[in-house]
Amino acid sequence: MFLLGIGNFALHRAVLESGHPLVEQLPGLAQSLGGRLTLVAEFLVLLAAMLLVANGWSELAWVYAGYSALNVASAWLILSGRV
C-alpha cells in the first residue's frame, strides 16, 4: 500500500504541475496553496487506509488498489491530453 501511495503522490503532483485547464478549475483555496491542500487529502486517504489495514481490515487494501487504478487512469487521461 505504501508503494501505491508513493505512486499516487507522484501522479497527483504531475497532474498539478501539468498546467491542464482542469487544474485551473480547482476551488480558490486549493489553487492558492499550489495544490498542497489536495496533496494533504491524498495523504489522509493513504494514512487512513494503512491504519485500517494494520488493524485487521485487510480487504481495504484491495479498495485502495482500486482507488490507485482509478488515479492512474485519470492521470493518464489528463497528462496525455485526452481530456
Side-chain angles (χ1 to χ4, degrees), residues 54-75:
N55 286 302
W57 291 47
S58 57
E59 299 84 16
L60 196 65
W62 289 107
V63 173
Y64 191 76
Y67 168 76
S68 297
L70 289 174
N71 278 344
V72 168
S74 61

Side-chain angles (χ1 to χ4, degrees), residues 1 5 9 40-55 60 64:
M1 284 186 64
F9 275 102
V40 168
E42 186 77 48
F43 171 75
L44 292 175
V45 169
L46 174 61
L47 179 64
M50 288 178 69
L51 287 172
L52 288 169
V53 168
N55 286 302
L60 196 65
Y64 191 76

Side-chain angles (χ1 to χ4, degrees), residues 12-26:
H12 196 125
R13 191 57 155 168
V15 168
L16 287 175
E17 293 176 354
S18 71
H20 193 276
L22 285 175
V23 176
E24 302 301 320
Q25 293 178 4
L26 283 172

